[in-house]
């Protein structure tokens, strides 16, 4: 990719946005690991009035923590980046579903910011110049 005045900052901008999103999502999961049982209990209380079963809610809590941790780390490092960004977007779709079921529109709106970051990074993946994927692809 040749650099023009229009895209010379695209690579660093993409890397900085990716690192920030990855760190945020990774830490979402990492700090919940020691307290995943309490997180699951909180979700069961929040979703008590929905049609979702307690077992599904508890399983989802563990999956959310694992997903955030793994996806966040992959995005942070830029490893398997395309797949990690798609997985992160799919996780956000599931979180949007849950948030809509409990009608927490403030959180749903906040989650859309994450969706915007994921799809923005995915749409501009051609500007990924600073990641483990790019480092591994170099001859």
């Amino acid at each position: 990719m040749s650099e023009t005045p229009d895209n010379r900052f695209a690579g660093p901008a993409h890397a900085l946005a990716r690192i920030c999103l990855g760190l945020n999502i990774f830490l979402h999961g990492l700090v919940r690991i020691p307290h995943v049982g309490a997180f699951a209990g909180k979700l069961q209380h929040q979703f008590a009035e929905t049609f979702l079963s307690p077992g599904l809610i508890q399983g989802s809590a563990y999956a959310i923590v694992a997903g955030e941790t793994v996806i966040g780390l992959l995005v942070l490092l830029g490893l398997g980046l395309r797949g990690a960004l798609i997985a992160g977007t799919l996780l956000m779709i599931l979180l949007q579903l849950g948030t809509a079921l409990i009608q927490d529109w403030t959180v749903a709106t906040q989650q859309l910011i994450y969706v915007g970051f994921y799809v923005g990074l995915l749409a501009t993946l051609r500007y990924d110049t600073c990641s483990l994927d790019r480092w591994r692809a170099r001859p």
Side-chain angles (χ1 to χ4, degrees):
M1 172 177 59
S2 65
E3 292 200 15
T4 66
D6 292 339
N7 72 5
R8 67 181 165 196
F9 298 111
H14 189 276
L16 291 169
R18 175 186 55 78
I19 290 166
C20 189
L21 176 64
L23 183 64
N24 183 285
I25 298 300
F26 173 62
L27 291 176
H28 263 90
L30 188 66
V31 301
R32 286 182 175 152
I33 290 173
H35 312 288
V36 69
F39 176 64
K42 179 182 173 187
L43 287 184
Q44 285 183 335
H45 177 72
Q46 286 179 312
F47 285 85
E49 301 297 319
T50 69
F51 63 88
L52 300 175
S53 71
L56 179 62
I57 295 166
Q58 182 163 356
S60 295
Y62 284 86
I64 289 167
V65 171
E68 287 175 336
T69 305
V70 172
I71 292 166
L73 183 61
L74 292 173
V75 172
L76 175 64
L77 299 174
L79 184 60
L81 187 53
R82 182 177 185 273
L85 292 170
I86 291 169
T89 305
L90 293 174
L91 177 60
M92 292 310 304
I93 290 169
L94 291 174
L95 294 176
Q96 281 281 294
L97 173 64
T99 305
L101 285 176
I102 60 172
Q103 299 181 46
D104 191 341
W105 307 117
T106 301
V107 171
T109 302
Q110 293 168 349
Q111 289 171 339
L112 288 175
I113 295 169
Y114 287 102
V115 173
F117 266 88
Y118 276 117
V119 299
L121 286 169
L122 189 58
T124 59
L125 200 53
R126 69 181 175 273
Y127 296 116
D128 172 31
T129 58
C130 180
S131 68
L132 286 181
D133 285 348
R134 290 296 173 203
W135 179 74
R136 292 174 46 202
R138 290 189 179 129

